[in-house]
């Protein structure tokens, strides 16, 4: 199959051309045009989005341990242009996390759903002071054996773990676990020196930059400065509520292609305002803003990556850079860029067609049109 008459996004730039697909893989990416099977009508042809930090949607949550719920979320993500996601869990007791791991392991992608590329454990090895919406009673000191048990339960699919490097035993934990998956610093009180030790020990990612960590200070730049100096990738929630547009522009200038846009979406995504639950704690959503019930503490987002693409472009981020932050940058961050994240020969044909207003026209996963 050939998708032609397209503005193809490859190697960070657009060009007029076509993409040939065979057996679910990209066989050819060329400028110009030949006879094609699918007419993109001059619209954008871009890689499918990759969300490495999403807890849920449609009143479902990965921590529930419900396979049918994962099916629903998978279909929802595909409708929002996400072709691969990391099932993200919360700070919970080991038995609850184990149940969630087993459900994720047994998930099989529906024909009209996005791929589960693995698991993101957000916690339970995080800081009490910066726990945010993570339940305090479920916090746990860094524990390599516990991590191994959870990874075994999900068939070795943990791709990312968020943890606080100042906790007892954190640095040896990072040294060991970074051999298995990407380690991210987040929900942390760490100063610059501790964060730099953690990055030197093998951490390479940063969870929702600015949120649940000390602010950037001119005498102690903390995790933010350490992430910049160490070459780490950084997540950013671009729902327009968590981060001011000016800070998004500044972060883009600072981190370039190390910026990873995430949704951090909760079960309230795709749902009306009201009361919901997150990691055993009540949350409420008003006008799309989710907080711990009765507080001003943000609890994640109700957004999705397609909406966030529109947001950041409206904030002044070049479209090419925004797309990079939604595709190849997250793929590299969690080491799945050998298969997905860009339009390149040999990679999975996970593709989107977008119109000039960045509305979703079509979704292809493994070369099959699903939406």
């Amino acid at each position: 199959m050939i998708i032609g008459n397209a503005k193809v996004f490859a190697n960070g730039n657009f060009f007029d051309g076509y993409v040939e697909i065979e057996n679910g893989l990209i066989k050819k990416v060329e400028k110009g045009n030949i006879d094609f099977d699918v007419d993109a009508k001059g619209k954008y042809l871009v890689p499918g989005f990759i969300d490495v930090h999403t807890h849920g949607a449609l009143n479902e949550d990965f921590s529930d341990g419900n396979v049918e719920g994962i099916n629903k979320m998978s279909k929802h993500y595909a409708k929002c242009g996400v072709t691969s996601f990391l099932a993200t869990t919360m700070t919970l007791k080991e038995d609850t996390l184990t149940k969630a791991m087993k459900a994720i392991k047994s998930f099989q992608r529906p024909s009209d759903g996005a791929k589960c590329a693995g698991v993101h454990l957000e916690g339970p090895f995080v800081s009490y002071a910066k726990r945010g919406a993570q339940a305090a009673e479920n916090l746990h000191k860094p524990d390599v054996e516990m991590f191994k048990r959870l990874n075994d339960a999900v068939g070795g699919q943990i791709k990312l773990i968020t943890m606080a490097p100042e906790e007892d035993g954190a640095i040896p934990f990072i040294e060991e676990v970074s051999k298995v998956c990407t380690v991210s610093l987040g929900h942390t009180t760490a100063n610059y020196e501790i964060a730099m030790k953690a990055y030197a020990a093998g951490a390479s990612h940063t969870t929702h930059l600015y949120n649940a960590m000390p602010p950037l200070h001119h005498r102690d730049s903390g995790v933010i400065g350490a992430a910049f100096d160490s070459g780490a990738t950084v997540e950013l929630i671009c729902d327009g509520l968590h981060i001011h547009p000016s800070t998004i522009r500044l972060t883009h200038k600072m981190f370039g292609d190390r910026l990873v846009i995430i949704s951090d979406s909760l079960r309230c995504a795709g749902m009306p305002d009201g009361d919901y639950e997150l990691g055993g704690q009540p949350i409420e959503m008003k006008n799309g803003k989710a907080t711990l019930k009765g507080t001003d503490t943000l609890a994640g987002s109700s957004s999705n990556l397609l909406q966030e693409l529109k947001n950041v472009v409206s904030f002044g981020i070049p479209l090419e850079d925004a797309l990079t932050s939604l595709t190849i940058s997250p793929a590299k961050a969690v080491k799945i860029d050998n298969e997905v994240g860009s339009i390149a020969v040999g990679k999975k044909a996970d593709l989107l067609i977008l119109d000039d207003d960045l509305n979703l026209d079509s979704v292809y996963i493994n070369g099959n049109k699903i939406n």
Side-chain angles (χ1 to χ4, degrees):
M1 180 180 72
I2 295 174
I3 302 176
N5 190 22
K7 296 189 187 84
V8 180
F9 181 67
N11 298 316
N13 295 290
F14 285 103
F15 60 83
D16 294 332
Y18 66 92
V19 172
E20 183 176 352
I21 300 166
E22 185 174 272
N23 298 323
L25 302 177
I26 296 170
K27 182 181 179 182
K28 189 179 293 186
V29 184
E30 297 287 348
K31 294 181 179 179
N33 257 317
I34 58 174
D35 290 340
F36 46 74
D37 304 291
V38 177
D39 185 359
K41 300 179 181 178
K43 296 177 181 178
Y44 299 120
L45 181 62
V46 306
F49 304 150
I50 299 168
D51 197 345
V52 300
H53 190 155
T54 172
H55 296 279
L58 302 182
N59 209 22
E60 304 288 349
D61 189 299
F62 291 109
S63 296
D64 294 344
N66 176 9
V67 177
E68 185 51 43
I70 302 174
N71 280 330
K72 284 176 62 178
M73 290 185 279
S74 169
K75 295 177 182 183
H76 169 80
Y77 295 133
K79 291 177 180 177
C80 300
V82 173
T83 53
S84 294
F85 61 88
L86 292 190
T88 307
T89 55
M90 290 287 290
T91 289
L92 295 161
K93 299 297 185 186
E94 184 175 353
D95 58 349
T96 304
L97 287 172
T98 300
K99 178 186 174 186
M101 295 302 107
K102 290 179 178 178
I104 294 165
K105 182 182 179 182
S106 64
F107 165 71
Q108 294 185 339
R109 182 181 76 86
S111 60
D112 56 347
K115 301 172 180 176
C116 180
V119 170
H120 174 180
L121 285 180
E122 189 181 14
F125 314 126
V126 296
S127 158
Y128 175 86
K130 290 292 184 180
R131 65 192 184 280
Q134 309 275 355
E137 63 269 21
N138 296 331
L139 297 175
H140 201 288
K141 295 297 183 185
D143 184 335
V144 172
E145 293 307 312
M146 180 177 170
F147 169 84
K148 288 179 178 178
R149 290 192 297 272
L150 291 171
N151 198 31
D152 287 344
V154 77
Q157 293 186 65
I158 296 177
K159 294 289 198 298
L160 178 62
I161 181 169
T162 295
M163 51 88 65
E166 72 275 17
E167 297 297 307
D168 291 344
I171 298 302
F173 178 92
I174 294 170
E175 290 172 343
E176 188 68 24
V177 171
S178 62
K179 299 171 186 175
V180 179
C181 73
T182 299
V183 176
S184 183
L185 307 190
H187 288 279
T188 173
T189 62
N191 60 18
Y192 176 84
E193 285 74 21
I194 292 172
M196 284 300 290
K197 286 180 182 177
Y199 287 126
S204 58
H205 191 65
T206 319
T207 297
H208 45 49
L209 197 72
Y210 305 111
N211 297 114
M213 64 181 61
L216 182 67
H217 190 278
H218 58 286
R219 282 191 293 274
D220 185 352
S221 57
V223 174
I224 300 165
F228 180 80
D229 282 350
S230 69
T233 46
V234 298
E235 298 177 354
L236 209 58
I237 307 169
C238 296
D239 61 352
L241 298 171
H242 281 75
I243 309 291
H244 191 278
S246 175
T247 306
I248 292 174
R249 290 188 288 271
L250 174 65
T251 307
H252 165 251
K253 291 288 187 183
M254 288 171 60
F255 287 93
D257 63 6
R258 290 191 277 146
L259 177 62
V260 174
I261 294 175
I262 60 164
S263 70
D264 197 8
S265 68
L266 310 180
R267 67 169 73 245
C268 55
M271 298 292 290
D273 283 356
D275 291 341
Y276 296 92
E277 178 269 343
L278 177 68
Q281 299 188 101
I283 61 173
E284 57 185 341
M285 183 168 69
K286 294 180 180 178
N287 300 318
K289 182 179 181 180
T291 57
L292 286 178
K293 191 171 179 64
T295 76
D296 293 325
T297 300
L298 287 167
S301 90
S302 62
S303 191
N304 62 72
L305 292 192
L306 182 61
Q307 183 57 56
E308 295 196 7
L309 171 65
K310 296 177 180 180
N311 289 347
V312 297
V313 170
S314 74
F315 298 158
I317 305 299
L319 176 58
E320 294 87 344
D321 294 354
L323 287 169
T324 296
S325 296
L326 291 162
T327 57
I328 191 61
S329 294
K332 287 180 177 178
V334 299
K335 302 178 180 65
I336 57 174
D337 55 301
N338 61 319
E339 290 195 348
V340 295
S342 60
I343 298 179
V345 173
K347 290 197 178 182
K348 301 287 187 182
D350 296 350
L351 305 168
L352 311 177
I353 297 178
L354 305 173
D355 67 18
D356 288 343
D357 295 321
L358 305 180
N359 296 312
L360 192 59
D361 177 285
S362 305
V363 178
Y364 293 83
I365 295 183
N366 296 335
N368 296 313
K369 184 177 181 181
I370 65 164
N371 198 13

